Amino acid sequence: MPKTFAVIGAGNMGGALIGGMLKAGVAAASGIRATTKSEEHAAALRTKFGIQETAGGNREAAEAAGVVILAVKPSTVPAVVEEIRDVLREDQILLSLAASLPIGVVERLAGKRLAVCRAMPNIPVVVEEGATAVACNQAAKPEDRAVVEGIFRAVGVVCFVEEEAMDAVTALSGSGPAYIYMVIEALIAGGLKMGLSREIATKLAEQTVLGAAKLVRETGLHPAVLRDQVITPGGVTISAIHELERHGLRAMLISAVETATGSARQRTRAIMDKLKTEG
Ligand SMILES: NC(=O)c1ccc[n+]([C@@H]2O[C@H](COP(=O)([O-])OP(=O)(O)OC[C@H]3O[C@@H](n4cnc5c(N)ncnc54)[C@H](OP(=O)(O)O)[C@@H]3O)[C@@H](O)[C@H]2O)c1
């Protein structure tokens, strides 16, 4: 495992990765250099993590690292890679978090044959419960993939996919927390409507979602089997399930993922068109 990481653009996502890597021992504070745009944010991260953090300084950070993590916004990636291009080496791993930016574009910008991986994490990485999918180019060796896996395992679960799957991943797990927040919000509202206090309704709703997900993972059972275990004939749960089916809960979520996948595809095309126009 290379011990040196450059986090170029240590904002929400980059900061969460740094926190997770330090906590899991994937990297030591001395092995991470991070950059931001503003000095104010750099200073805050320095205080929080005790790492070497600079506003700007992308070239120095990239040059010193075994793994260069691009954690800036997708629109900033071309300028940043242009800036660090001549210090990139073929023995490095270039890991991009930029949503919708294809590996081929990052490879072209880097202009070198190095391992390039593209990751789609989601926001629960902040509490080390993220779901991340990763696609890598041909140059990435098994040991490079292992390094990338170690980074994201520090902040949740990780799986490797073909790059074509990235739009569906974006729609399912990238945006997914927003769908589940709506479910939690609605369960709380249901509790409130039935006279529960806000505090009790919130506590019960959040734990219900957490516990149900944990049971799916730990039993390995299909969710439909687990759902059936909660149902008693003529009981309370089946009357609620009837309502959910009547309003098309499952069809709605399937359509949401389908629509969001289309939207992610469109965004990729728009980014490609913009990059082509800019030459
Ligand atoms: N947030 C998510 O849920 C999520 C999920 C999947 C993928 N992603 C991807 O993760 C990436 C980062 O997203 P984010 O939400 O973490 O964004 P963010 O919080 O805005 O972080 C971006 C960081 O980049 C820094 N920056 C801007 N220009 C820079 C430059 N020229 N050199 C060095 N640093 C620079 C900013 O510095 P300042 O702090 O000084 O402004 C900021 O710290 C994006 O590409 C996004 O597509 C995010």
Side-chain angles (χ1 to χ4, degrees):
M1 163 81 62
K3 294 190 168 42
T4 49
F5 299 83
V7 182
I8 309 291
N12 290 322
M13 214 20 103
L17 287 187
I18 293 169
M21 286 196 294
L22 290 173
K23 196 166 164 190
V26 170
S30 58
I32 302 179
R33 284 180 182 225
T35 66
T36 52
K37 193 170 182 189
S38 69
E39 178 51 48
E40 185 195 346
H41 287 164
L45 282 165
R46 221 175 292 135
T47 310
K48 187 168 177 193
F49 297 123
I51 56 169
Q52 196 172 331
E53 169 81 29
T54 56
N58 294 335
R59 284 170 61 82
E60 295 74 11
E63 191 168 16
V67 184
V68 179
I69 303 175
L70 298 172
V72 290
K73 293 285 189 197
S75 57
T76 312
V77 169
V80 160
V81 179
E82 173 74 37
E83 190 186 343
I84 63 174
R85 189 203 323 237
D86 63 340
V87 297
L88 290 176
R89 301 180 308 274
E90 294 192 354
D91 64 347
Q92 289 174 315
I93 300 169
L94 188 56
L95 169 60
S96 167
L97 309 184
S100 301
L101 199 65
I103 289 174
V105 171
V106 179
E107 280 176 327
R108 257 201 317 282
L109 290 166
K112 295 210 172 83
R113 194 181 147 69
L114 77 170
V116 177
C117 294
R118 169 183 171 190
M120 172 48 70
N122 67 5
I123 202 63
V125 294
V126 169
V127 288
E128 292 139 35
E129 290 291 352
T132 303
V134 181
C136 295
N137 69 355
Q138 296 276 328
K141 297 186 283 296
E143 52 270 35
D144 298 327
R145 292 161 77 97
V147 169
V148 172
E149 186 176 357
I151 294 171
F152 292 106
R153 273 234 309 269
V155 288
V157 300
V158 52
C159 48
F160 284 88
V161 297
E162 294 300 323
E163 190 174 22
E164 300 85 80
M166 275 300 187
D167 292 323
V169 164
T170 304
L172 172 58
S173 53
S175 303
Y179 321 152
I180 302 304
Y181 296 141
M182 289 176 78
V183 170
I184 296 174
E185 181 191 354
L187 288 173
I188 294 169
L192 288 173
K193 187 163 188 205
M194 293 301 109
L196 297 180
S197 71
R198 188 173 297 279
E199 191 196 351
I200 297 286
T202 303
K203 199 169 179 174
L204 295 178
E206 70 193 21
Q207 182 60 28
T208 298
V209 171
L210 198 65
K214 200 167 174 188
L215 210 52
V216 172
R217 177 183 293 170
E218 291 190 1
T219 60
L221 290 172
H222 191 286
V225 173
L226 290 167
R227 182 193 60 192
D228 215 45
Q229 289 174 358
V230 186
I231 294 174
T232 47
V236 171
T237 308
I238 192 64
S239 64
I241 284 174
H242 186 197
E243 275 306 295
L244 295 173
E245 295 288 36
R246 199 201 313 269
H247 294 287
L249 176 76
R250 286 186 297 162
M252 255 189 303
L253 288 171
I254 293 166
S255 293
V257 174
E258 187 180 32
T259 303
T261 303
S263 171
R265 280 193 189 125
Q266 267 177 16
R267 197 169 60 163
T268 302
R269 277 196 293 272
I271 288 179
M272 299 291 281
D273 289 346
K274 187 164 178 276
L275 288 172
K276 264 189 217 140
T277 321
E278 291 169 0

